[in-house]
């Protein structure tokens, strides 16, 4: 994963790679996916994201928030972060593994798969006593700021192009 990202597209690519980690591990889990199994998949996702990066004690929430932000970028245009969080909250205690079904239905299953990846990160955060509200607020704020900045840059470039042509 590229942690030195300079664009939302690169953040979305990171999110895609994180979702792939979730899908691979959840698809192999069988018919059930317990909270502990989800948490373990979330741990693997965070570790894949932070590969080689030193995370100081007490700042684990930041790495989790970055993972969520990149998943939000990956979902942009499919489902909002609010929608992802609503599904994730409802899935957090579920034990039925819907990943094989979501994979089987193709493109329509993508939002559910990304929400499942978010759920895994939330499950892991719970197991290591990370405040989910704080972490998700930080992730949403970062995503929102980055999306707005990109939109502003595009509008500014369009205006400049009108005046130079």
């Amino acid at each position: 994963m590229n942690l030195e990202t300079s664009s939302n597209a690169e953040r979305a690519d990171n999110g895609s790679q994180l979702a792939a980690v979730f899908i691979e591990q959840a698809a192999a889990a069988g018919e059930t996916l317990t909270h502990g199994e989800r948490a373990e998949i979330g741990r693997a996702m965070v570790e894949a994201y932070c590969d080689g990066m030193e995370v100081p004690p007490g700042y684990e929430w930041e790495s989790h928030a970055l993972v969520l932000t990149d998943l939000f970028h990956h979902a942009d245009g499919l489902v909002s972060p609010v929608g992802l969080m609503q599904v994730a909250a409802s899935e957090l205690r579920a034990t039925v593994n819907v990943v094989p079904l979501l994979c089987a239905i193709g493109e329509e299953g993508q939002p559910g798969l990304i929400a499942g990846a978010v759920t895994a990160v939330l499950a892991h955060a719970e197991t290591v006593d990370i405040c989910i509200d704080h972490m998700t607020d930080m992730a949403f704020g970062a995503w929102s700021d980055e999306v707005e900045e990109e939109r502003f840059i595009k509008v500014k470039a369009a205006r400049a192009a009108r005046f130079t042509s």
Side-chain angles (χ1 to χ4, degrees):
M1 265 166 260
N2 179 9
L3 299 184
E4 301 296 323
T5 60
S6 61
S7 73
N8 293 340
E10 290 171 332
R11 299 289 306 261
D13 184 55
N14 285 348
S16 175
Q17 292 176 54
L18 290 162
V21 170
F22 167 75
I23 293 165
E24 178 184 335
Q25 292 192 18
E31 291 181 11
T32 61
L33 195 58
T34 66
H35 187 269
E37 291 167 327
R38 285 180 204 282
E40 185 58 27
I41 294 170
R43 182 198 57 75
M45 292 168 61
V46 172
E47 285 182 1
Y49 189 86
C50 296
D51 187 33
M53 185 172 73
E54 183 78 25
V55 178
Y59 290 90
E60 294 85 0
W61 65 271
E62 286 184 355
S63 57
H64 285 67
L66 289 170
V67 168
L68 288 179
T69 301
D70 286 3
L71 288 168
F72 292 166
H73 279 293
H74 176 49
D76 200 21
L78 290 173
V79 62
S80 73
V82 172
L84 286 174
M85 293 306 299
Q86 288 174 333
V87 173
S90 70
E91 286 290 312
L92 202 51
R93 300 288 179 247
T95 57
V96 175
N97 185 4
V98 296
V99 170
L101 171 67
L102 292 171
C103 288
I105 63 174
E107 190 67 31
E108 276 77 32
Q110 280 296 92
L113 293 168
I114 300 168
V118 169
T119 306
V121 175
L122 297 180
H124 183 254
E126 279 188 345
T127 65
V128 293
D129 294 325
I130 292 174
C131 177
I132 289 179
D133 290 341
H134 179 66
M135 176 188 67
T136 56
D137 286 350
M138 295 301 291
F140 179 78
W143 172 83
S144 179
D145 289 348
E146 291 160 4
V147 168
E148 180 60 24
E149 178 182 18
E150 188 172 89
R151 187 201 66 78
F152 177 78
I153 290 168
K154 286 179 182 177
V155 168
K156 187 176 177 181
R159 283 188 185 136
R162 281 195 322 232
F163 292 114
T164 58
S165 34

